């Protein structure tokens, strides 16, 4: 069972550093922060970019601005990976499983999940900014059983942080299916992500409705997420250059 009371001194130090990096390098901001509840549980559903570090920036910003720690449900491989395991735990993440997610929501925590997982993260470029969840609806069962609202969240330009050329080509998909570990080529600005502008868009809550089935909730959430992406993401090429120039223009 994950600890619902993490080391907040470490969380504070970690989120402060991440927040400073996000603001300085990515001009990170949140639009719609008032859609997050100030108290009580809610399930926050994210689009899973390749880099996924945009989600950690969001969590750090939320903690610094509201003092609410998002308990992200993370892939188990992260907790067995040197360095990464410390990073995700300092950020408040826990291994994803349904019973603990329901318990934390009922205890009043904000819980974050990316239903697409690694499969959504390692799609070819023509599928970037498309919701790729398949038939997954574990998150919908969690929200239904915990009686909480769902809040869709999309971070603009998140796919421009890092590139994974050829990720859709053999052997990378096969390696993931065999190992459940995303072994892929990564390209950034040296060892760092590209300095693109990042804006988190927090959608209106999907209010809990006991008459709604998990299947209906999944489909509604998926549609809301895709609308959030379509309304806020500039897909014109060259996307990476545009995302970097956006940051420069706003700083002026």
């Amino acid at each position: 069972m994950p600890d619902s009371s993490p080391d907040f001194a470490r969380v504070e130090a970690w989120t402060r550093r991440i927040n400073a990096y996000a603001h300085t390098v990515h001009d990170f901001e949140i639009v719609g922060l008032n859609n997050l509840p100030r108290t009580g549980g809610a399930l926050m559903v994210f689009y899973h970019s390749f880099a996924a570090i945009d989600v950690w920036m969001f969590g750090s910003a939320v903690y610094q601005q509201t003092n609410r720690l998002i308990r992200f449900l993370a892939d188990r491989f992260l907790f067995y990976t040197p360095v990464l395991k410390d990073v995700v735990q300092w950020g408040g993440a826990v291994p994803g499983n349904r019973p603990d997610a329901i318990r934390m929501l009922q205890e009043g925590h904000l819980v974050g999940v990316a239903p697409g997982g690694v499969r959504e993260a390692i799609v070819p470029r023509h599928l970037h900014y498309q919701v790729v969840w398949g038939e997954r609806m574990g998150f919908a069962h969690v929200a239904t059983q915990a009686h909480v609202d769902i809040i869709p969240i999309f971070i603009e330009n998140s796919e421009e942080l890092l590139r994974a050329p050829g990720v859709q080509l053999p052997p990378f998909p096969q390696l993931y299916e065999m190992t459940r570990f995303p072994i892929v080529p990564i390209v950034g600005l040296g060892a760092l992500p590209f300095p693109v502008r990042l804006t988190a868009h927090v959608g209106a809550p999907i209010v809990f409705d006991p008459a709604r089935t998990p299947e209906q909730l999944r489909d509604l959430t998926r549609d809301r997420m895709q609308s959030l992406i379509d309304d806020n993401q500039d897909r014109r090429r060259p996307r990476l250059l545009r995302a970097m120039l956006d940051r420069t223009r706003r700083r002026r």
Side-chain angles (χ1 to χ4, degrees):
M1 180 179 293
D3 181 8
S4 295
S5 301
D7 183 343
F8 281 102
R10 177 166 283 178
V11 169
E12 173 66 31
W14 174 251
T15 57
R16 188 170 60 249
R17 292 187 182 100
I18 294 297
N19 205 41
Y21 164 81
H23 177 72
T24 302
V25 178
H26 301 290
D27 206 12
F28 190 94
E29 72 167 339
I30 300 176
V31 176
L33 185 63
N34 60 341
N35 284 326
L36 300 184
R38 294 293 174 174
T39 60
L43 185 63
M44 309 171 75
V45 175
F46 292 84
Y47 168 79
H48 199 312
S49 70
F50 170 69
I53 57 176
D54 53 297
V55 172
W56 299 109
M57 294 185 211
F58 178 84
S60 296
V62 167
Y63 184 77
Q64 289 294 313
Q65 294 181 48
T66 71
N67 206 37
R68 298 209 69 186
L69 178 64
I70 302 171
R71 308 311 305 272
F72 290 107
L73 304 180
D75 263 302
R76 291 186 177 275
F77 80 85
L78 291 170
F79 296 90
Y80 298 100
T81 306
V83 180
L84 285 179
K85 65 180 180 181
D86 295 321
V87 170
V88 295
Q89 288 172 336
W90 294 344
V94 295
N97 69 74
R98 190 178 300 182
D100 286 335
I102 294 170
R103 176 184 59 80
M104 287 188 292
L105 288 166
Q106 291 174 336
E107 289 175 352
H109 292 281
L110 296 176
V111 174
V113 64
V118 174
R119 287 191 179 90
E120 186 172 65
I122 60 174
V123 295
R125 288 191 65 193
H126 73 273
L127 290 179
H128 283 179
Y129 305 118
Q130 296 292 322
V131 177
V132 182
W133 293 353
E135 299 303 313
R136 292 182 177 184
M137 59 180 179
F139 74 94
H141 282 288
V142 166
T144 299
Q145 292 177 48
H147 295 187
V148 296
D149 298 348
I150 285 180
I151 303 174
I153 298 164
F154 167 66
I155 302 174
E156 185 181 346
N157 294 325
S158 53
E159 293 288 11
E160 315 315 315
L161 284 165
L162 293 169
R163 292 293 173 83
V167 70
Q168 76 276 18
L169 302 175
F172 302 117
Q174 291 84 352
L175 283 173
Y176 173 69
E177 295 300 332
M178 290 171 56
T179 66
R180 286 296 187 270
F181 192 93
I183 303 170
V184 295
I186 298 175
V187 176
L189 191 65
L192 298 173
F194 291 108
V196 300
R197 174 184 172 182
L198 296 175
T199 303
H201 299 275
V202 182
I206 299 173
V207 178
F208 170 69
D209 180 353
R212 190 181 287 133
T213 67
E215 291 84 358
Q216 292 171 330
L217 183 56
R218 175 199 61 199
D219 294 345
L220 176 59
T221 307
R222 182 177 57 207
D223 292 345
R224 290 276 191 92
M225 178 68 77
Q226 192 60 62
S227 294
L228 201 59
I229 295 170
D230 294 341
D231 290 345
N232 294 289
Q233 181 60 51
D234 186 349
R235 291 191 176 92
R236 293 175 297 167
R237 298 183 182 277
R239 288 201 310 251
L240 175 57
L241 180 59
R242 286 180 181 277
M244 293 174 69
L245 289 177
D246 281 349
R247 172 182 171 277
T248 303
R249 292 191 189 105
R250 190 166 71 175
R251 283 224 172 260
R252 290 177 182 171

